[in-house]
């Protein structure tokens, strides 16, 4: 066998393993109708986040919908000119909805990953070392619990120019506390098991023991809370945008809700309210349904009798 064949064979093997894993997870979610429906919604949301701005028929901010006579269609219900209606400024709601999926996806994805990664690292290090390291990290976690997210986020964004990456960082900086607590409690149990003690006795370093023996055994919980972090990040981003602290350069679903509220047409222009509201509710609910399905696997005690 040539030297080039071995790397290709290893690559094909890894791709095959990855495909098998994806296929197994797909089959698992199909057994739970709610989780399977959530997976479809999440897939549609990711598609809109990637291609929504390209699919938007008009520029969400610059374009103004006009009628046959050339007049601006303000607060127009869904029609042939604007399938999702128009705003009080004559903007196309469908275009704003499609373009608004991308910042929601960015904040949800990176906010969730940041929340999960930070909480997982703190939980593993704190639980593994114990002692003063555990005391220091847990007191820091307690401090984060004592600081309410929304007032602190508003305070920070008051003194800094909001942008999507800053908002994502603030969300991750405040929401890592819950996964840190849960992962730590699991690590406290794992570190006392025989295989971990054997690794220590054989001379493995603390870093190697954590990476190869402790972390893999608590990784499912880390993934679960990362998924929850995605939903938390989306809800937090929408709330900040609704309060007027979103990225002013981007159209988002939360900003759409703020605009319809500020225009005083929240109770009138249902076509302006429902698309972003349904979008936010659908994606956050779907993520929780998927997380719930995996939570029953990780923690069989919460399984319901069916």
């Amino acid at each position: 066998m040539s030297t080039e064949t071995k790397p290709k064979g290893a690559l094909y093997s890894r791709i095959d393993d990855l495909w098998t894993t994806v296929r197994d997870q797909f089959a698992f979610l199909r057994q739970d109708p709610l989780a399977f429906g959530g997976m479809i919604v999440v897939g549609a949301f990711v598609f809109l986040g990637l291609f929504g701005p390209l699919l938007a028929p008009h520029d969400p901010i610059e374009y103004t919908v006009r009628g046959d006579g050339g007049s601006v269609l303000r607060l127009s219900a869904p029609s042939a000119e604007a399938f999702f209606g128009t705003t009080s400024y004559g903007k196309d709601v469908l275009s704003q909805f499609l373009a608004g999926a991308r910042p929601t996806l960015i904040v949800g994805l990176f906010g969730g990953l940041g929340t999960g990664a930070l909480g997982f690292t703190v939980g593993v290090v704190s639980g593994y070392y114990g002692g003063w390291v555990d005391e220091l990290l847990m007191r820091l976690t307690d401090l984060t619990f004592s600081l309410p997210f929304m007032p602190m986020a508003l305070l920070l964004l008051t003194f800094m120019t909001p942008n999507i990456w800053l908002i994502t960082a603030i969300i991750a900086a405040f929401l890592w506390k819950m996964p840190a607590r849960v992962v730590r409690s699991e690590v406290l149990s794992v570190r006392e098991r025989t295989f971990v003690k054997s690794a220590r006795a054989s001379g493995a370093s603390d870093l190697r023991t954590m990476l190869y023996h402790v972390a893999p055994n608590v990784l499912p919980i880390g993934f679960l809370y990362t998924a929850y972090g995605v939903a938390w990040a989306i809800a937090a981003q929408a709330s900040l945008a609704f309060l007027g602290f979103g990225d002013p350069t981007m159209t988002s679903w939360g900003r759409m809700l703020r605009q319809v509220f500020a225009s005083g047409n929240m109770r009138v222009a249902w076509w302006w309210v429902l698309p972003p509201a349904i979008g936010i509710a659908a994606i956050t609910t779907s993520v929780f349904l998927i997380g719930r399905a995996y939570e029953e696997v990780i923690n069989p005690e919460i399984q319901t009798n069916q």
Side-chain angles (χ1 to χ4, degrees):
M1 182 180 294
S2 67
T3 55
E4 294 182 353
T5 306
K6 291 182 178 178
K8 285 184 179 179
L11 177 62
Y12 291 150
S13 177
R14 290 182 180 179
I15 293 175
D16 187 58
D17 292 342
L18 179 62
W19 172 245
T20 302
T21 301
V22 172
R23 191 172 53 193
D24 291 345
Q25 298 308 310
F26 184 78
F28 167 74
L29 290 175
R30 287 192 64 180
Q31 298 174 0
D32 187 327
L34 293 177
F36 186 65
M39 185 184 67
I40 294 175
V41 172
V42 170
F45 170 68
V46 172
F47 178 81
L48 287 180
L50 294 175
F51 303 106
L54 301 177
L55 297 174
H58 309 293
D59 187 290
I61 299 176
E62 299 295 334
Y63 181 79
T64 301
V65 182
R66 297 181 181 275
D68 294 336
S71 60
V72 176
L73 294 180
R74 302 180 188 276
L75 282 182
S76 173
S79 63
E81 289 78 11
F83 293 130
F84 279 23
T86 63
T87 71
S88 59
Y89 297 101
K91 308 302 180 185
D92 184 32
V93 173
L94 174 60
S95 299
Q96 292 193 349
F97 174 75
L98 292 174
R102 178 166 292 180
T104 307
L105 173 65
I106 292 174
V107 174
L109 179 62
F110 289 98
L113 289 176
T115 299
L118 188 57
F120 185 80
T121 303
V122 171
V124 169
V125 173
S126 177
Y128 177 79
Y129 281 106
W132 69 268
V133 176
D134 182 39
E135 187 71 18
L136 176 64
L137 292 177
M138 286 302 101
R139 295 298 76 76
L140 179 61
T141 306
D142 292 340
L143 176 63
T144 310
F145 269 108
S146 67
L147 297 174
F149 166 73
M150 194 56 69
M152 295 304 300
L154 296 179
L155 179 64
L156 292 173
L157 292 173
T158 299
F159 296 101
M160 292 182 281
T161 302
N163 64 68
I164 194 168
W165 299 111
L166 175 62
I167 293 170
T168 302
I170 291 175
I171 289 172
F174 278 92
L175 299 185
W176 58 270
K177 52 197 175 187
M178 184 61 75
R181 280 284 193 192
V182 177
V183 170
R184 172 186 173 271
S185 65
E186 288 296 315
V187 172
L188 290 176
S189 172
V190 171
R191 73 175 186 179
E192 300 301 327
R193 294 180 184 173
T194 305
F195 62 90
V196 176
K197 292 182 177 178
S198 299
R200 288 175 179 168
S202 63
S205 65
D206 288 336
L207 181 60
R208 182 178 179 81
T209 305
M210 278 193 292
L211 290 179
Y212 289 95
H213 300 285
V214 176
N217 286 279
V218 296
L219 202 56
I221 293 181
F223 283 137
L224 174 64
Y225 276 86
T226 298
Y228 285 153
V230 172
W232 297 338
I234 291 173
Q237 186 263 353
S239 300
L240 291 172
F242 182 77
L243 294 173
F245 289 85
D247 189 332
T249 65
M250 303 184 76
T251 297
S252 68
W253 292 346
R255 191 180 180 197
M256 289 178 67
L257 291 175
R258 172 174 174 75
Q259 289 175 335
V260 66
F261 176 77
S263 70
N265 296 297
M266 181 73 86
R267 299 177 183 275
V268 178
W270 55 267
W271 57 88
W272 193 1
V273 177
L274 289 182
I278 292 176
I280 294 169
I283 184 59
T284 53
T285 303
S286 298
V287 172
F288 275 113
L289 288 176
I290 295 174
R292 179 67 182 175
Y294 281 102
E295 190 174 9
E296 291 188 355
V297 176
I298 295 171
N299 186 5
E301 293 181 358
I302 66 172
Q303 285 185 352
T304 55
N305 295 323
Q306 296 180 354

